[in-house]
Amino acid sequence: NAGVTQTPKFQVLKTGQSMTLQCAQDMNHEYMSWYRQDPGMGLRLIHYSVGAGITDQGEVPNGYNVSRSTTEDFPLRLLSAAPSQTSVYFCASSKPGLAGRTGELFFGEGSRLTVL
Amino acid sequence: AQTVTQSQPEMSVQEAETVTLSCTYDTSESDYYLFWYKQPPSRQMILVIRQEAYKQQNATENRFSVNFQKAAKSFSLKISDSQLGDAAMYFCATNSGYALNFGKGTSLLVTP
């Protein structure tokens, strides 16, 4: 099994450009999420989904869109890239655990995005 | 909002020695999970250990163990017999609804 697959692994954008980070999982996990990692900030939640057709905002959603048309896929769209969106992005998936809250996260390998 | 605090931005340990990484958290939930993830220079996020809050027994995985103090909301990670391959960023996390809430991380340096 591939687990969680993210593409691309590296991307350079110019300010104002748009792009989509792809994320796919083959573990039939209900929950999926996107995080950004910045030095000294840990991982911060951008958006998450609890199933096909259901998404919600996390801690830092501004400038990002998501959709979940299938259980497997959860793409992250940058609408108009800004230098502040330079970061490493992680997609993750999980199954429900206690009381329906998430269990262990399975991560993709990360995508390093630079916005000039 | 739930918060996870890792008060040690950097730690250093000699090979074969023991090191403890600290983590405190704040939650209003009664049932929850706690996690430690390792991130080596490869950037991959690797689960080290998991603790269910309703279990009193501390979780152990080979050389990794936790000291879980539920009343104090403390969840420290002990690495015994440290190896060069343990050098990495370590993140503490708790499940916050449908995602995890992470601390800012502790960078562990292992010296020969």
Side-chain angles (χ1 to χ4, degrees), chain A:
Chain A
N1 284 346
V4 180
T5 303
Q6 276 182 247
T7 56
K9 290 187 171 44
F10 300 93
Q11 184 72 50
V12 178
L13 289 177
K14 294 181 179 178
T15 296
Q17 287 184 318
S18 62
M19 77 157 297
T20 299
L21 295 173
Q22 301 291 344
C23 177
Q25 54 96 5
D26 62 0
M27 297 174 283
N28 202 31
H29 285 170
E30 294 176 45
Y31 300 167
M32 295 187 75
S33 49
W34 277 101
Y35 294 83
R36 61 177 288 172
Q37 182 181 15
D38 302 292
M41 300 296 292
L43 279 77
R44 293 182 292 170
L45 181 65
I46 304 171
H47 286 285
Y48 65 93
S49 169
V50 299
I54 306 171
T55 65
D56 206 346
Q57 297 180 349
E59 179 185 356
V60 288
N62 291 341
Y64 307 95
N65 264 2
V66 292
S67 60
R68 184 108 179 261
S69 57
T70 67
T71 300
E72 294 79 20
D73 300 300
F74 191 45
L76 178 72
R77 297 180 184 85
L78 280 70
L79 308 172
S80 177
S84 61
Q85 293 178 303
T86 294
S87 188
V88 176
Y89 291 85
F90 285 95
C91 179
S93 72
S94 61
K95 296 187 296 187
L98 289 171
R101 291 191 290 275
T102 187
E104 168 194 351
L105 293 189
F106 293 79
F107 284 90
E109 294 182 344
S111 301
R112 179 174 292 279
L113 176 66
T114 301
V115 182
L116 303 176

Side-chain angles (χ1 to χ4, degrees), chain B:
Chain B
Q2 297 178 328
T3 58
V4 178
T5 302
Q6 294 180 249
S7 58
Q8 306 152 315
E10 295 179 348
M11 292 284 285
S12 181
V13 64
Q14 277 195 314
E15 226 178 339
E17 297 296 310
T18 296
V19 64
T20 298
L21 308 184
S22 300
C23 174
T24 58
Y25 61 93
D26 183 23
T27 180
S28 57
E29 307 290 345
S30 57
D31 291 322
Y32 49 92
Y33 298 125
L34 294 157
F35 305 89
W36 279 98
Y37 279 87
K38 171 185 178 181
Q39 186 181 44
S42 67
R43 198 169 70 195
Q44 182 66 39
M45 293 289 288
I46 302 164
L47 179 68
V48 175
I49 202 164
R50 182 179 94 166
Q51 174 80 43
E52 288 88 354
Y54 63 86
K55 291 185 177 178
Q56 292 187 341
Q57 186 172 5
N58 289 327
T60 299
E61 288 288 341
N62 301 315
R63 297 182 294 106
F64 298 87
S65 61
V66 299
N67 182 6
F68 174 47
Q69 302 289 330
K70 189 173 184 178
K73 296 183 179 176
S74 171
F75 183 60
S76 59
L77 175 70
K78 186 172 82 170
I79 306 174
S80 304
D81 186 25
S82 297
Q83 301 175 358
L84 293 177
D86 294 333
M89 282 290 292
Y90 287 82
F91 293 99
C92 177
T94 183
N95 61 338
S96 171
Y98 306 106
L100 294 190
N101 196 24
F102 288 87
K104 294 184 178 181
T106 296
S107 178
L108 180 64
L109 174 68
V110 182
T111 57

